Every structure is written in C-alpha cells, then in structure tokens.
C-alpha cells in the first residue's frame, strides 16, 4: 500500500506540471503624446513710418555706451585756495562795515559811459617799444629834428598822474576800482575834488592796463586831445562831474547781515510787535 501511495502522489505531481499554463495578458503600450506644434507667430504689422529729418536715436548710458550727461558737481568740488579766499573776502566785505574812503570805489561808471571812455582812450594809446624804436630811427635819419607838435598820449603811473592833478594839467582822471591794496589810491578822489579835476572810477585795472600796453594800470590821465575829439571829452567830463565830483560825501558801506541773521531779527521784531499790540489791547 505504501508503494501505491507514492505512485499516486507522483501521478498527481506530473499532472500538475502538465497543466496548460495560462500566460498573462500583455500590457497595453501607451505612447506618450507628442508635444504640440508651436503656434505660428503672426508677422507684426508694420506701422506707418513718418519720414523726418531727425532720426530717433535713444542714448544708452550703460558702461561703454554714450557719454554721461553733465551734472552739477559744485557741492563735491574742493575749490582751490585762492577761490576760497576770494569768496570769504567777499562775504567779509558784506558783513563788516566799510569806511567811506573805501566804500566809494563800489560806485563805478555805467557800462555805456565806460564804453565811450575806452573808445576815446583807444585813439590815444601810447606807442609800444617797437613803434618808439622805429620812430627814433626815422628821426635820426632825418637829422634829429622833430617836426610838428608832441603827440597826444594817455598818461599812466600813480606818481605821474598825481603830479598832473596837483599841477591841474589833467583834464580827466580814470581810477581802477580793484586796486590792491586800496589804500594806495583811496586818497586820489579827494585830491581830484580839492583840485577840481573831473575823475571816474572804472571797473577793472586790467582794462586800464590794456590801454597803455601793460598788464595792469591803477590810474590814467588825459591831458590833451585832438580838436575832433574835444566834444567827446567834454561829454565825458560833464558826466564825471555829475556822477562823482558833485555826488556829495561818500557814505559808509557793508554791515549787511546773512539770511539766517535777517530771519532771526525779523522774527524777534514780529514777536515784539505782537507783544506791544497785546499790551495796547489790555490798556484800552
């Protein structure tokens, strides 16, 4: 019976191995969808261009691009020493009180009068070294005899002009307003008034210097002119007398406070006026 059982078991196992195998259903292969085709870009509509003479060229201020625009960098500039001194001096002259003998040089001739004066002075410029040399050579060739009267020239030099004023030979004296130091010339207007010589205060010692072929000139004097220019000189003399000689005594200058100080004083005066008005109201 044991052998029968073993045979039965073997037959069962062989039967299991001989069963038809049921294969699994194959998986469905799903294809990935292809990417959509890009949308066709419609061509941009061309705008109607207006033909002009000037093309629009926008600037590019990036690195390596167009030149940067100019900016006001005044606050960031360290000014030279002489500029700082000039500005401080100007402020001091406004704040400090200036005596009359120095303050009179702020009253200068008008622009039109100064232009007429320089127009006349240009006709009587003194000769240069080259012209003088040529004149003396010509005079030596002719035998050393000078023909005619002495030429008319503008006279310069502080000492020379002072002698002309004292001897009353000067017909018009021109004084620069920016002489340094001013004490060199502050007495000359008083001397001209004492000797009854018309004088003018002109802006710019360099402008006066150009007349006499020098860098600077503190004062000039006209002693004589040609007959055709006597009328022009008479007009200048009359304007000089009315604006300078007969203008009266010079006054004190300076003493102008800064804007901050002016605001403080105005605020203080307003407070005092309000207090006085309140007291007046209580008194009534």
């Amino acid at each position: 019976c044991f052998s029968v059982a073993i045979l039965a078991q073997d037959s069962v196992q062989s039967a299991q191995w001989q069963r038809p195998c049921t294969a699994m259903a194959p998986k469905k292969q799903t294809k990935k969808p292809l990417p959509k085709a890009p949308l066709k870009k419609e061509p941009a509509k061309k705008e109607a261009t207006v033909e002009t003479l000037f093309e629009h060229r926008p600037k590019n201020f990036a690195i390596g691009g167009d030149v940067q625009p100019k900016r006001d960098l005044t606050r960031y500039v360290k000014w030279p020493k002489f500029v700082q001194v000039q500005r401080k001096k100007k402020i001091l002259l406004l704040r400090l009180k200036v005596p009359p003998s120095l303050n009179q040089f702020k009253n200068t001739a008008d622009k039109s009068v100064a232009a007429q004066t320089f127009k006349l002075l240009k006709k009587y410029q003194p000769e240069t070294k080259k012209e003088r040399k040529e004149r003396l050579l010509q005079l030596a060739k002719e035998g050393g005899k000078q023909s005619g009267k002495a030429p008319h020239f503008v006279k310069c030099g502080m000492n020379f002009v002072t002698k002309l004023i004292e001897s009353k030979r000067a017909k018009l004296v021109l004084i620069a307003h920016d002489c340094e130091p001013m004490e060199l010339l502050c007495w000359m207007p008083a001397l001209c008034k004492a000797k009854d010589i018309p004088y003018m205060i002109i802006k710019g010692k360099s402008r006066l210097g150009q007349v006499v072929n020098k860098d600077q000139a503190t004062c000039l004097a006209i002693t004589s002119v040609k007959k055709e220019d006597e009328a022009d000189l008479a007009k200048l003399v009359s304007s000089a007398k009315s604006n300078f000689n007969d203008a009266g005594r010079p006054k004190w200058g300076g003493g102008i406070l800064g804007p901050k100080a002016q605001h403080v004083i105005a605020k203080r005066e307003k407070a005092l006026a309000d207090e006085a008005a309140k007291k007046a109201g209580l008194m009534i």
Side-chain angles (χ1 to χ4, degrees):
C1 64
F2 179 73
S3 61
V4 172
I6 290 172
L7 289 170
Q9 189 176 359
D10 291 340
S11 63
V12 170
Q13 287 179 356
S14 62
Q16 285 179 355
W17 284 107
Q18 288 176 2
R19 280 179 188 175
C21 60
T22 56
M24 293 178 68
K27 291 182 180 180
K28 292 181 180 180
Q29 293 181 357
T30 56
K31 292 182 180 180
K32 291 182 180 180
L34 294 172
K36 294 180 180 180
L39 295 173
K40 290 183 179 179
K41 292 183 180 179
E42 296 180 0
K45 294 180 180 178
K46 292 183 178 180
E47 296 180 358
T49 56
V50 182
E51 293 183 359
T52 58
L53 293 174
F54 306 100
E55 295 181 6
H56 179 61
R57 296 176 183 173
K59 290 188 176 182
N60 178 22
F61 294 118
I63 295 172
D66 293 314
V67 179
Q68 294 289 331
K70 288 186 179 180
R71 297 180 178 88
D72 186 12
L73 303 176
T74 310
R75 293 183 60 199
Y76 307 101
V77 174
K78 186 176 180 182
W79 294 100
K81 191 72 176 177
F82 75 95
V83 176
Q84 296 178 24
V85 170
Q86 285 174 354
R87 292 177 178 178
K88 288 176 182 177
K89 181 185 175 184
K90 185 180 179 181
I91 292 170
L92 279 174
L93 290 175
L94 289 173
R95 302 289 181 269
L96 302 176
K97 289 203 171 183
V98 184
S101 58
L102 300 180
N103 190 51
Q104 65 182 338
F105 288 92
K106 291 184 179 179
N107 178 29
T108 56
D110 296 336
K111 191 175 180 181
S112 59
V113 176
Q116 293 173 4
T117 306
F118 281 106
K119 189 178 178 181
L120 179 64
L121 291 174
K122 199 171 183 181
K123 297 179 182 179
Y124 299 99
Q125 280 185 314
E127 57 189 359
T128 60
K129 289 182 179 179
K130 187 178 179 181
E131 292 172 351
R132 185 170 181 274
K133 186 178 180 181
E134 290 175 357
R135 181 176 61 83
L136 292 175
L137 285 171
Q138 187 67 25
L139 187 65
K141 288 177 183 179
E142 293 175 358
K145 293 181 180 179
Q146 190 171 2
S147 59
K149 295 182 180 179
H152 303 285
F153 288 135
V154 178
K155 308 299 187 293
C156 64
M158 196 183 305
N159 292 334
F160 190 25
V161 171
T162 304
K163 289 177 183 177
L164 293 174
I165 294 170
E166 289 175 345
S167 60
K168 294 187 178 182
R169 285 189 291 159
K171 293 185 178 179
L172 180 63
V173 177
L174 307 171
I175 305 169
H177 87 295
D178 56 350
C179 178
E180 287 288 339
M182 190 54 73
E183 286 77 7
L184 292 173
L185 280 179
C186 63
W187 47 268
M188 192 170 281
L191 180 64
C192 290
K193 286 181 180 179
K195 297 292 183 179
D196 197 21
I197 302 292
Y199 73 95
M200 271 193 217
I201 296 173
I202 302 288
K203 277 189 177 180
K205 56 187 176 184
S206 58
R207 295 170 72 192
L208 294 180
Q210 288 176 1
V211 176
V212 291
N213 303 317
K214 295 182 182 296
D215 293 336
Q216 297 173 354
T218 54
C219 55
L220 301 178
I222 299 175
T223 54
S224 59
V225 293
K226 297 175 183 177
K227 284 187 177 181
E228 57 265 23
D229 294 325
E230 286 180 356
D232 295 336
L233 180 62
K235 289 179 183 178
L236 294 175
V237 166
S238 63
S239 67
K241 283 187 174 180
S242 60
N243 293 325
F244 294 96
N245 291 66
D246 303 333
R249 295 186 65 180
K251 298 179 181 179
W252 280 79
I256 301 170
L257 299 176
K260 289 183 181 178
Q262 289 179 7
H263 288 315
V264 170
I265 291 170
K267 191 175 180 181
R268 191 183 301 159
E269 289 177 351
K270 186 181 178 183
L272 290 171
D274 293 343
E275 189 177 350
K278 285 180 183 178
K279 286 181 180 179
L282 291 172
M283 292 288 289
I284 292 170

